[in-house]
Amino acid sequence: MDERKRNWITWSFVALTVLVIAAMMSSTLRRTNRVELPDTDESPDFSAGTDAGLTVVEVTPETVQTAIATLHRPEAYRRTITVEQFWSTGSATTETAVAVLAGWTRTDRTLSGGQTRHTITDGQTTYIWYNSETSVYETAAGDITADEEQGIPTYETVLELPTADIAMADYRAISGVNCIYVETVENADGYVERYWVGVDTGLLMAAERLVDEEPVYRMAALTVDMTAPTAADFTLPDGRILVSE
């Protein structure tokens, strides 16, 4: 076999190996067409944020808790959250429209059975009704947080983790949104959790929970409408107004 033919075979093998590795690395975020997290950039551009007073600090497993603690969520915004959950026999997807104003959070969640579940909560009292019903169920919020009403994990729990439980932390851009990325080590139940927290909004933009590298939960809400909701969004179907103009 001549030298040119051996070189051609060698480079063909190298190219094939690179393609296989690339496919394996991207597969964990591309197992479904419903909630597909886009590729992330580990070197996001913070030039725009710097003009707005953003202080960029190094993020590592040792410093990420301090960085997250400095973030503040906006007092008023709207967005839509898509959540997909997986189990051995299938999956289910829900979409939740979220409106936040004056300490109140409203969610309108489309359930897999076709119903729409509406909730309004201030963390003390929660109001619940379905579809276009006029009757409202009122209950103490108890331990159910506004995040749980949205079907998303409360990422601030990262602040309570021992540093040894944080496997990876850095800055990453996802769909052009600069985020703090956190990945936990596998816990006793075999779960690994990943969070993308927007540095400009302090909101959870995306998250995953995996077992044996397979997703069991995935959420994404990559755009935020900073237009403030109105009092009408926080008016119950029985006519009670929870937020004044």
Side-chain angles (χ1 to χ4, degrees):
M1 184 182 298
D2 62 35
E3 186 67 23
R4 285 183 299 177
K5 189 171 184 179
R6 281 198 299 269
N7 289 340
W8 184 87
I9 293 174
T10 299
W11 283 110
S12 296
F13 176 80
V14 170
L16 178 60
T17 302
V18 170
L19 289 173
V20 170
I21 292 173
M24 292 174 62
M25 292 178 64
S26 63
S27 63
T28 58
L29 293 183
R30 299 183 181 278
R31 298 185 186 277
T32 174
N33 292 325
R34 295 182 181 271
V35 183
E36 183 173 327
L37 301 185
D39 293 335
T40 57
D41 179 3
E42 295 188 21
S43 302
D45 180 10
F46 287 101
S47 57
T50 302
D51 294 336
L54 173 66
T55 301
V56 180
V57 298
E58 182 182 8
V59 171
T60 66
E62 291 73 29
T63 64
V64 67
Q65 291 166 313
T66 300
I68 289 177
T70 66
L71 301 179
H72 299 283
R73 303 188 190 189
E75 296 181 356
Y77 63 91
R78 298 176 185 269
R79 67 174 180 164
T80 298
I81 299 171
T82 303
V83 169
E84 189 164 18
Q85 294 177 291
F86 305 83
W87 53 90
S88 59
T89 57
S91 65
T93 302
T94 60
E95 281 198 351
T96 304
V98 179
V100 174
L101 180 67
W104 290 87
T105 300
R106 172 170 178 159
T107 66
D108 300 284
R109 184 186 304 180
T110 302
L111 304 176
S112 56
Q115 284 191 317
T116 300
R117 182 178 188 270
H118 310 277
T119 71
I120 300 178
T121 184
D122 64 351
Q124 303 297 320
T125 305
T126 299
Y127 302 90
I128 304 169
W129 71 100
Y130 288 85
N131 300 324
S132 56
E133 295 174 354
T134 56
S135 59
V136 179
Y137 175 69
E138 179 179 338
T139 182
D143 295 330
I144 300 178
T145 66
D147 283 349
E148 289 171 319
E149 294 289 353
Q150 298 171 59
I152 64 175
T154 301
Y155 71 79
E156 284 91 343
T157 55
V158 172
L159 300 178
E160 303 171 2
L161 290 175
T163 302
D165 289 348
I166 301 175
M168 185 182 305
D170 52 39
Y171 286 114
R172 300 192 183 191
I174 181 169
S175 283
V177 180
N178 295 330
C179 295
I180 294 175
Y181 172 78
V182 184
E183 181 174 325
T184 67
V185 300
E186 183 178 304
N187 67 16
D189 296 320
Y191 290 102
V192 171
E193 296 184 347
R194 297 171 176 172
Y195 303 89
W196 288 259
V197 183
V199 297
D200 291 329
T201 64
L203 295 171
L204 185 66
M205 309 306 291
E208 281 190 319
R209 179 175 294 164
L210 304 97
V211 175
D212 296 329
E213 299 186 356
E214 292 289 338
V216 295
Y217 170 92
R218 178 179 289 153
M219 67 78 61
L222 301 177
T223 60
V224 181
D225 181 358
M226 301 304 293
T227 303
T230 65
D233 294 300
F234 299 90
T235 300
L236 298 174
D238 60 12
R240 284 179 287 172
I241 301 174
L242 302 177
V243 177
S244 59
E245 294 285 2

